[in-house]
Amino acid sequence: MTTTADSGVQSGPKAGGRSDTMRRARSVFANSGMIPALVLVIGIGAMLSPVFLTAPNLANVLRISAVVGLLAIGQTLVILAGGGGIDLSVGSVTAAAGVVGALYQGYGLAGTIIAALATGAFFGLVNGLGVTTARLQPFIVTLATLTIARGVSFQLSNATPIYVSVPGLDYLATGAILGIPVPIVILGVALLVGQLVLSRTVYGRKLYAVGGNEEAAYFSGINVNRLRLSVYMISGLLAGLAGVLATARLSTADANFGTGYELAAIAAVVVGGAPLTGGRGSILGTGVGVLIIALFENLLNLLNVNPWTQLMVTGLIVIVVVALNRKGEGGPDRRIWKGLPLYAVLVAGALLLFFVL
Amino acid sequence: MAGDAMNPMAPGTPKREHGVPVGPGERGAARPPLLSLRGITKSFTGVTALSQVGLDVREGTVHALVGENGAGKSTLMKVMAGVLQPDSGTIEIHGAAVRLHGPADARRRGISLVPQELSLMPHLSVAENIYLGCLPRRAGLVNRRALLRGARQVLERLGANVSPTSLLGEHGPAVQQLVMIARGIVLGGKVYILDEPTAALTDPEIERLFAVLRELQSAGAALVYVSHRLNEITGLADEVTVLRDGHVVQHRAASGVTEDELVRAMVGRSVERFFDRPGKPQGDSQPVLTVSGLTRRGVFEDVGFTVGAGEVVGLAGLVGAGRTEVARAIFGADPVNVGEITVRGRRARVRSPRDAIAAGIVLVPEERKTQGLILNLSISDNIALPHLRSFARGPFMRTRRLRDHTKQASERLRVKARSVSTAVGTLSGGNQQKVVLARWLTRQPALYILDEPTRGIDVEVKSEIYREIGRLADQGAGVLVISSELPELLGICDRILVMRQGRLVGAVPAHAVTEHEILEMAMGTGMS
Ligand SMILES: Nc1ncnc2c1ncn2[C@@H]1O[C@H](COP(=O)(O)OP(=O)(O)OP(=O)(O)O)[C@@H](O)[C@H]1O
Ligand SMILES: [Mg+2]
């Protein structure tokens, strides 16, 4: 009808771009289960625990989720670029980056950071070449890197945690900028830059195109391989940065660090609305996904729920939010309600075992 | 039917023109309706695709459905086949109201659909694709013998020379289209719904298809048929319904209807449909493209030709003659064994589409859904895809500039959509095709390769596209057009190349040759 003409007239020269970004952002959240889930967690948390909504608690949650948050940003790009893209290696690469950084602590803060970032980028390059040049499946390539990077970490650290004492490093864990803890600032900046890249740059457009239809993108002259290589390298770099933050927080580099973090990052991405098939999703969504999972785990902690039950509940939350997210694509998805009995039985069975044994 | 229910207040609602009523002597009216639609309304977010549509499909007749791109034809077909649920209105089978709970339910009731967009499994065999969802079984296992026998029979009936055991993905859209049709036929039933089945086919296949359709018809089946090739309607259909903007604007007997009458009902005015390119003097222009000795073993051999600046060259041939394959090779999408490609006198090393675009060659591919479009991105992103750099300042997109530019480009080809931010996947088939074309219009390459550029596009926009092609050539570009519609090639081209079984068998000036002569060359039956 008249909408086309209206939108052209109403938006002034400056408003044009912004309204477009707004629309895109809105379309990410419209019909998704993310926002209800976030509101629900915060609401329940505020009701059940007096500490939950306090500034120190929230700051603590965010500080701890900085590492997984960085990994989830890289994971978003990798998944978005399609072709079955996934990076299973990020947890191990975080540990490897931490260990290598620790070995270079003699070169000071800069040496430690550069060594860690270079390690991350190196493993990213390995993943990227495996996927593009060698044409292997991302799942397999990054699974191999997961194992290799963990092995490298143990080898280099002789399987013992390395104590790290670099002047200035602890600032990355305990410092604050304008009252905001530094890890939170780093995560926040990474999220903003990531979102900006996806929504406003040429690179971002190409990522969505390649993820949406690789062949059509190739026919349009886009260098698909170079783009895919780049997302694995970014993912590796961010894992390197995560390694630096982890070392700063713990003052040690531990080869065991980050086990299972790749799965946490993937969970955050899918909760944030990106399907594993690629071509859709946003960094903003991933940020919300990280937040939902972190707040939920924190709440369960505050309520003294035992860790095993926590695992079960977290798994269920991921399933429910992802099912709700799917509503956006063509009508309400009844599958979730059909799946519910199954999960009810699962939980009941687990609890039963728990009490019987 | 639908006229009384239309909202007279809605601005721009087309006025219903009363066509020639279906006379009592006609084959159509005498028979009872098998499938009837009453007051069907369907809207998508913000778009009313169908409004109070009524339609009867009678036993042993063909009911044709025509209308511009986005008129609602495919949506109506999907409602009939249970793929979409209408917002309101009823569907009746033999006069009894039914609710179709999905495609499987519709199939059980004897309704089978051949959809407009190819939806097949490229990694399965041709036979398996034909029997997808109804594989013949014995003792719980797939009965391979029955499967192959059935597939071979139906393919033979359609005149498709295809091995049932070959992988579907190895074949082009014409064979895939035939497989879709074959699937509709083996499903059996009483109502066959065909949405633009001939869009990818050439004349001999179309003739075979029509013979099969007539057999079904005389066996008592009811057929619903959609096509933008209006000359097919008069030969095949008993009744015609014309849709415009989701309304039925005309329903009449097909006998005696002229193409012009149909066009006027579809568009609301007369359209000059034929385009005759003023003859260009031959051979005096600089060649923009020279191909020599191009060979891809087993596919095409020793192909050599030139396209001059300002020249429109057509590539004719039957399905499987290797036209698309040559186009893809020139564009760098497929490797070649030997051969040389020269663009504007410079030897071009083309190893990927990226190289080709850099050398000044662009391609509008034949399969819009797989090779052309990113369905979940917007119209504007799709148009801008190959030129993102020119809409950027540094690394950042200049969103406003992008919108303005793409709005212009899509208006030029009359893409029907709410705005350029609409996702391409929600557009009608023809409108998607317009987006693929619009992508390259503003670029000024040396050579355009257009593979079936007007596939699925309505008459009005077709002539618009012919004019665009002429304009591109007048600006000095060379244009290589592949089309299955010979009248189209004869109308817009200066020169026509004919391929047969992977070889170039003729090159003739377009004004000095007839359709018949080209067909003979393509089939190898003539004297040449
Ligand atoms: N899934 C969808 N979401 C939103 N709009 C849709 C969707 N499917 C169709 N439409 C809209 O409904 C209208 C009718 O589309 P339809 O595909 O029925 O047209 P058509 O007559 O088949 O056109 P064509 O000749 O191009 O195939 C169009 O405006 C189209 O954009
Ligand atoms: Mg259609």
Side-chain angles (χ1 to χ4, degrees):
Chain A
M1 300 272 149
T2 46
T3 36
T4 319
D6 282 355
S7 67
V9 177
Q10 281 174 355
S11 50
K14 269 168 260 154
R18 206 184 312 140
S19 77
D20 213 49
T21 319
M22 285 300 291
R23 195 178 352 224
R24 227 172 247 143
R26 227 180 298 131
S27 78
V28 169
F29 293 109
N31 295 321
S32 84
M34 271 183 270
I35 298 301
L38 189 62
V39 170
L40 206 70
V41 176
I42 294 177
I44 295 176
M47 273 193 321
L48 294 185
S49 162
V51 246
F52 182 72
L53 262 192
T54 58
N57 183 54
L58 291 181
N60 198 34
V61 171
L62 287 175
R63 200 189 341 236
I64 292 172
S65 52
V67 168
V68 171
L70 288 177
L71 301 184
I73 293 172
Q75 198 72 245
T76 308
L77 300 184
V78 170
I79 289 175
L80 190 64
I86 196 153
D87 190 348
L88 296 175
S89 69
V90 286
S92 306
V93 171
T94 304
V99 168
V100 174
L103 293 178
Y104 279 82
Q105 58 181 301
Y107 295 89
L109 185 61
T112 309
I113 294 178
I114 290 173
L117 293 183
T119 308
F122 168 75
F123 283 114
L125 181 69
V126 170
N127 284 333
L129 288 177
V131 168
T132 56
T133 314
R135 303 203 157 277
L136 298 170
Q137 286 187 337
F139 190 98
I140 294 165
V141 172
T142 60
L143 185 62
T145 306
L146 175 152
T147 318
I148 293 169
R150 190 64 73 186
V152 166
S153 315
F154 280 119
Q155 181 92 44
L156 291 180
S157 66
N158 281 325
T160 44
I162 306 172
Y163 179 67
V164 179
S165 161
V166 174
L169 187 62
D170 62 337
Y171 177 76
L172 291 181
T174 55
I177 298 172
L178 300 173
I180 306 169
V182 171
I184 301 181
V185 173
I186 293 179
L187 178 62
V189 169
L191 285 170
L192 274 180
V193 170
Q195 180 59 31
L196 204 66
V197 165
L198 279 194
S199 62
R200 299 302 297 275
T201 65
V202 176
Y203 182 77
R205 294 293 84 199
K206 287 185 183 172
L207 269 187
Y208 280 106
V210 168
N213 185 347
E214 179 180 342
E215 197 177 1
Y218 179 66
F219 269 66
S220 298
I222 289 175
N223 193 334
V224 176
N225 275 346
R226 198 166 67 195
L227 212 65
R228 291 245 166 92
L229 182 67
S230 74
V231 292
Y232 285 97
M233 288 204 53
I234 293 173
S235 179
L237 258 177
L238 286 169
L241 185 58
V244 173
L245 290 192
T247 308
R249 194 174 79 214
L250 305 171
S251 295
T252 45
D254 185 349
N256 275 308
F257 184 83
T259 311
Y261 276 28
E262 62 281 346
L263 299 182
I266 293 168
V269 174
V270 294
V271 164
L276 288 181
T277 43
R280 285 172 214 245
S282 71
I283 299 289
L284 238 51
T286 296
V288 175
V290 170
L291 213 57
I292 290 175
I293 295 179
L295 287 176
F296 213 88
E297 285 177 344
N298 172 248
L299 178 60
L300 294 175
N301 261 328
L302 291 176
L303 297 178
N304 282 323
V305 176
N306 81 55
W308 304 290
T309 316
Q310 277 194 29
L311 287 179
M312 291 192 286
V313 174
T314 310
L316 283 180
I317 291 301
V318 170
I319 285 292
V320 170
V321 179
V322 170
L324 289 175
N325 282 347
R326 283 191 48 106
K327 270 178 66 176
E329 303 151 25
D333 193 333
R334 278 187 302 247
R335 249 170 292 184
I336 172 65
W337 308 123
K338 287 187 183 154
L340 266 188
L342 180 77
Y343 285 104
V345 168
L346 201 78
V347 172
L351 289 179
L352 206 68
L353 281 178
F354 200 67
F355 287 118
V356 170
L357 301 177
Chain B
M1 219 137 302
D4 50 351
M6 278 176 0
N7 178 5
M9 310 294 277
T13 302
K15 236 178 64 195
R16 181 177 171 149
E17 296 150 27
H18 286 275
V20 180
V22 180
E26 291 295 328
R27 182 163 47 148
R31 317 224 173 175
L34 216 168
L35 179 73
S36 304
L37 303 179
R38 303 261 174 268
I40 298 286
T41 296
K42 173 79 191 172
S43 30
F44 300 101
T45 36
V47 192
T48 306
L50 294 174
S51 147
Q52 296 290 342
V53 172
L55 192 80
D56 287 316
V57 193
R58 293 168 219 282
E59 237 166 68
T61 67
V62 178
H63 196 136
L65 204 56
V66 297
E68 287 181 284
N69 292 134
K73 304 178 297 295
S74 296
T75 307
L76 188 62
M77 306 280 231
K78 285 179 192 157
V79 168
M80 272 190 239
V83 178
L84 289 176
Q85 298 295 327
D87 299 338
S88 64
T90 52
I91 302 172
E92 295 170 9
I93 296 181
H94 287 305
V98 294
R99 218 184 104 93
L100 302 173
H101 294 280
D105 187 28
R107 208 174 305 149
R108 234 171 294 136
R109 295 172 188 276
I111 302 169
S112 73
L113 169 71
V114 178
Q116 177 176 19
E117 304 296 340
L118 303 169
S119 58
L120 297 162
M121 312 286 144
H123 301 296
L124 293 184
S125 72
V126 167
E128 283 161 332
N129 269 287
I130 292 176
Y131 280 96
L132 215 62
C134 61
L135 289 168
R137 265 167 245 212
R138 200 174 47 194
L141 297 176
V142 174
N143 183 348
R144 273 194 73 76
R145 276 200 22 221
L147 174 72
L148 290 183
R149 183 161 15 91
R152 199 166 290 131
Q153 269 169 10
V154 66
L155 287 171
E156 206 166 287
R157 206 167 148 199
L158 285 167
N161 185 17
V162 184
S163 156
T165 51
S166 59
L167 286 189
L168 186 90
E170 296 167 5
H171 301 288
V175 168
Q176 301 201 11
Q177 181 70 65
L178 286 171
V179 168
M180 297 271 299
I181 295 169
R183 175 151 104 202
I185 291 174
V186 300
L187 283 175
K190 294 169 295 191
V191 181
Y192 293 86
I193 303 175
L194 301 115
D195 197 350
E196 296 193 37
T198 55
L201 304 182
T202 55
D203 289 344
E205 290 113 18
I206 293 176
E207 255 166 56
R208 289 299 283 265
L209 172 64
F210 281 10
V212 173
L213 296 186
R214 287 202 188 91
E215 279 169 36
L216 293 174
Q217 183 188 354
S218 49
L223 280 76
V224 188
Y225 187 87
V226 170
S227 180
H228 286 293
R229 301 187 175 184
L230 296 179
N231 57 347
E232 295 173 358
I233 305 292
T234 41
L236 188 71
D238 301 295
E239 292 173 66
V240 193
T241 291
V242 182
L243 279 181
R244 194 195 308 161
D245 290 336
H247 298 262
V248 172
V249 289
Q250 196 175 82
H251 168 236
R252 54 169 296 162
S255 69
V257 69
T258 65
E259 290 179 37
D260 269 335
E261 284 172 318
L262 287 178
V263 171
R264 222 174 311 128
M266 283 165 59
V267 185
R269 62 186 174 81
S270 292
V271 172
E272 189 203 331
R273 281 183 306 127
F274 292 103
F275 180 78
D276 258 318
R277 194 170 149 67
K280 282 244 160 184
Q282 293 285 309
D284 59 347
S285 64
Q286 290 282 336
V288 287
L289 174 79
T290 310
V291 176
S292 62
L294 207 62
T295 299
R296 180 164 186 223
R297 263 171 228 125
V299 184
F300 52 83
E301 216 152 306
D302 196 22
V303 172
F305 60 89
T306 64
V307 179
E311 193 183 25
V312 183
V313 175
L315 200 49
L318 300 184
V319 168
R323 297 168 299 167
T324 293
E325 287 74 7
V326 168
R328 286 176 58 103
I330 296 173
F331 189 59
D334 287 336
V336 292
N337 297 111
V338 279
E340 213 169 280
I341 296 168
T342 314
V343 181
R344 289 216 166 112
R346 269 226 208 110
R347 173 85 195 271
R349 286 183 184 282
V350 178
R351 275 192 226 89
S352 69
R354 203 179 156 71
D355 294 344
I357 293 169
I361 304 172
V362 305
L363 170 77
V364 171
E366 64 176 343
E367 287 183 71
R368 58 174 169 258
K369 239 172 102 181
T370 55
Q371 300 162 350
L373 297 168
I374 322 274
L375 293 177
N376 62 349
L377 289 190
S378 67
I379 295 176
S380 102
D381 283 341
N382 270 285
I383 292 179
L385 199 55
H387 341 277
L388 287 170
R389 276 266 148 248
S390 57
F391 297 107
R393 189 186 292 128
F396 292 103
M397 297 297 298
R398 302 169 67 179
T399 323
R400 184 162 181 83
R401 199 172 141 180
L402 174 77
R403 283 180 65 86
D404 289 348
H405 172 89
T406 51
K407 208 161 150 187
Q408 250 181 26
S410 71
E411 270 163 15
R412 212 154 108 195
L413 289 183
R414 301 188 205 182
V415 176
K416 191 184 163 204
R418 280 177 78 198
S419 81
V420 285
S421 326
T422 309
V424 164
T426 67
L427 299 183
S428 78
N431 282 300
Q432 292 183 4
Q433 181 69 28
K434 293 180 208 167
V435 173
V436 184
L437 281 166
R439 172 183 292 165
W440 294 113
L441 279 188
T442 48
R443 194 101 171 184
Q444 300 233 327
L447 177 80
Y448 286 90
I449 306 176
L450 310 175
D451 197 349
E452 304 285 0
T454 62
R455 179 151 142 213
I457 284 186
D458 66 40
V459 276
E460 187 180 15
V461 179
K462 244 183 206 174
S463 54
E464 201 66 45
I465 288 171
Y466 297 154
R467 256 191 293 280
E468 285 290 343
I469 291 175
R471 206 181 48 79
L472 296 174
D474 292 341
Q475 287 173 355
V479 185
L480 183 64
V481 189
I482 299 176
S483 173
S484 304
E485 283 184 74
L486 284 179
E488 175 170 294
L489 281 188
L490 288 173
I492 60 176
C493 295
D494 301 314
R495 198 154 52 92
I496 292 181
L497 310 172
V498 186
M499 282 190 74
R500 180 174 73 230
Q501 292 172 358
R503 285 178 179 278
L504 216 53
V505 293
V508 282
H511 57 83
V513 70
T514 65
E515 270 180 59
H516 185 71
E517 286 164 337
I518 292 178
L519 256 178
E520 279 186 337
M521 276 194 261
M523 299 203 286
T525 51
M527 46 280 142
S528 53

